Amino acid sequence: MMMGEQARDFTLEQFFQAAIAGQKAVAVWRLPNTPHLQACVQLGQHFTTGQPQLETSPFGFFFCPFQVTKEEPNLFIKADLYFDGERVTSAPEVPQQPLQAFYTLLDTPQRINAWHTPASAQRHAFQTEEGFVGAVHQAVEAIQAGQMEKVVLSRTDQETLPDGFSPVAAFRAMTEKYPRAFVSLVSVPGVGTWMGATPEILVSIDEQQVFHTMALAGTQPAVENVADAIWRQKEIEEQAMVERYVLSCFKKLRLREYTEVGPRTIIAGGLMHLRTDFKVNLREVHFPTLGTDMLELLHPTSAICGLPKAPALQFILDHEGYNRSYYSGFLGPVNSPAGSHLYVNLRCMQLLAQEAILYAGAGVTEGSVAQKEWIETQHKMQTMRQVLINFEGVDE
């Protein structure tokens, strides 16, 4: 039977596990403030790509690292098969033989809790509290010496996965717990599996052709009423730096027609941040490559790297003490039914066979207190840690 565009009903669990069983790359996502779960699978085995070109890309999902290296390249999962929450459809040009093989896997009961793990046994370096605090002290000294204005330092931690852990069940739990976040689960053969709930848009172009990016910085635990939020000078200055960075990118492109709203306090994953939104109506402003051009200028943003970018990046490479890999890179669907939406890969974890690696960072400025920055990373790691702590197994 020729499937082609014909739709068939399956569950997200069936779709994800068929991809794992067939050694296929799969991406699952839920856009903020929507109930719709989406996923795509690529049937071929070539995922590496160059600098993303949003306007000419086929429908698919980008998964890109903090820094492109031979070991961590930009990845693109082409949507040969698309799951809209209920039905699976195939792209019209997909070859029939691998398509039929995948539908056979969909019809075959699979192990419910499998996922792709890295091809090589990675040795993760973990930054101690003493090491992280020491790096923050050095960063403050470098900032006071005029070497840079801000640098974002991050670290990792490790948690044992709960018994019967299922990435799809954890993904569903994240969509319930973090309705305002971009929630994702990405699993690629030879690369591994990452999942997260990030609050930060990098570049977005919706169905109405509205371009959107944001300046997000400053962190403190959430209070019951955001109107009661009190921000220190350190967080206000940090957020203003990210705003100026976005505006400098617009200036480089000679873009003057945009709307700016903020800064305002928003809640994400039990934390509060300061956020300013920038939008451009591409139906009114003729700038057909704005998405790709801004992506190239923005990443890595000052919210995850620092200012100026070059000395901050060098400081990170010299003092952070581990490889960020795909943490603080970017990810998301492009040319999907809902448009193109790329997010910074924050509040995330990497799944190994029995452990999860958690990632978090904090912006360091002249007014930073090292111990407070350590506590901030602890708070940020709670977004994923709570998913593991509260995980409820799935009946097999």
Side-chain angles (χ1 to χ4, degrees):
M1 180 175 67
M2 298 285 283
M3 296 304 303
E5 291 276 6
Q6 183 178 343
R8 289 179 58 188
D9 288 0
F10 292 97
T11 65
L12 178 58
E13 285 77 5
Q14 286 173 302
F15 191 70
F16 183 84
Q17 291 306 332
I20 303 304
Q23 286 295 303
K24 309 299 182 193
V26 56
V28 186
W29 68 94
R30 197 281 323 267
L31 293 172
N33 303 309
T34 71
H36 307 299
L37 309 184
Q38 301 176 72
C40 69
V41 160
Q42 177 175 314
L43 296 176
Q45 293 296 316
H46 183 73
F47 318 114
T48 304
T49 187
Q51 175 66 23
Q53 303 295 311
L54 305 193
E55 297 76 24
T56 57
S57 171
F59 172 26
F61 193 98
F62 277 107
F63 189 61
C64 301
F66 173 62
Q67 267 206 307
V68 174
T69 64
K70 186 180 176 184
E71 291 75 27
E72 275 112 12
N74 287 333
L75 302 176
F76 180 67
I77 302 170
K78 185 174 175 291
D80 290 330
L81 286 143
Y82 170 62
F83 177 75
D84 68 359
E86 294 180 353
R87 300 193 154 196
V88 176
T89 53
S90 61
E93 75 279 4
V94 175
Q96 286 299 306
Q97 188 175 352
L99 181 62
Q100 292 302 326
F102 191 82
Y103 275 104
T104 300
L105 288 170
L106 275 171
D107 288 323
T108 307
Q110 307 291 340
R111 283 180 59 209
I112 203 163
N113 59 348
W115 57 89
H116 295 311
T117 52
S120 58
Q122 295 172 307
R123 294 185 64 189
H124 284 270
F126 295 95
Q127 180 67 282
T128 62
E129 181 175 355
E130 185 182 6
F132 181 84
V133 167
V136 172
H137 282 306
Q138 288 180 285
V140 171
E141 288 173 7
I143 292 166
Q144 289 172 340
Q147 295 171 22
M148 55 192 172
E149 288 181 70
K150 170 191 173 180
V151 64
V152 179
L153 291 176
S154 69
R155 65 183 186 89
T156 57
D157 204 355
Q158 184 169 303
E159 288 283 339
T160 300
L161 291 175
D163 292 340
F165 182 79
S166 158
V168 175
F171 172 85
R172 288 188 184 277
M174 281 168 24
T175 63
E176 295 287 328
K177 190 170 178 60
Y178 305 120
R180 292 183 289 264
F182 175 76
V183 180
S184 63
L185 164 60
V186 181
S187 196
V188 180
V191 176
T193 300
W194 291 68
M195 57 194 310
T198 176
E200 185 169 352
I201 291 173
L202 184 60
V203 164
S204 170
I205 302 171
D206 66 17
E207 310 99 309
Q208 283 76 46
Q209 286 296 290
V210 174
F211 168 91
H212 182 195
T213 189
M214 65 172 59
L216 186 79
T219 303
Q220 62 174 298
V223 294
E224 197 168 323
N225 185 353
V226 292
D228 296 331
I230 299 171
W231 292 99
R232 295 179 303 158
Q233 188 65 24
K234 184 259 180 187
E235 283 105 3
I236 293 169
E237 289 176 355
E238 187 184 347
Q239 204 273 339
M241 286 179 194
V242 182
E243 272 189 49
R244 290 201 304 272
Y245 179 73
V246 174
L247 292 172
S248 73
C249 292
F250 284 159
K251 194 172 180 182
K252 283 176 185 171
L253 297 175
R254 299 196 171 121
L255 177 72
R256 296 180 183 87
E257 293 136 313
Y258 57 85
T259 61
E260 178 180 348
V261 178
R264 56 187 170 180
T265 302
I266 62 107
I267 293 178
L271 298 172
M272 294 189 301
H273 306 284
L274 285 168
R275 186 176 99 187
T276 302
D277 293 274
F278 300 89
K279 294 186 178 181
V280 179
N281 189 333
L282 295 175
R283 287 178 177 164
E284 297 174 2
V285 179
H286 183 69
F287 210 128
T289 62
L290 182 62
T292 295
D293 293 345
M294 281 297 287
L295 180 64
E296 204 158 341
L297 288 172
L298 283 171
H299 181 70
T301 73
S302 58
I304 50 100
C305 181
L307 277 175
K309 188 184 288 189
L313 178 59
Q314 193 57 54
F315 190 91
I316 289 167
L317 298 177
D318 290 344
H319 296 89
E320 207 163 57
Y322 83 104
N323 175 14
R324 286 190 184 188
S325 185
Y326 289 90
Y327 163 68
S328 70
F330 60 89
L331 75 170
V334 288
N335 294 318
S336 76
S340 298
H341 304 278
L342 297 176
Y343 285 76
V344 183
N345 195 17
L346 304 173
R347 315 291 189 276
C348 63
M349 61 182 171
Q350 181 184 14
L351 301 183
L352 304 181
Q354 277 94 33
E355 297 87 29
I357 310 298
L358 280 57
Y359 296 80
V364 180
T365 63
E366 191 171 3
S368 286
V369 177
Q371 197 60 40
K372 286 184 177 178
E373 305 300 353
W374 170 265
I375 292 169
E376 181 176 319
T377 63
Q378 293 280 60
H379 287 317
K380 288 175 176 176
M381 283 181 178
Q382 286 303 313
T383 304
M384 288 297 101
R385 191 169 273 132
Q386 288 298 317
V387 173
L388 298 174
I389 291 170
N390 298 323
F391 180 78
E392 294 180 4
V394 179
D395 294 330
E396 299 201 24

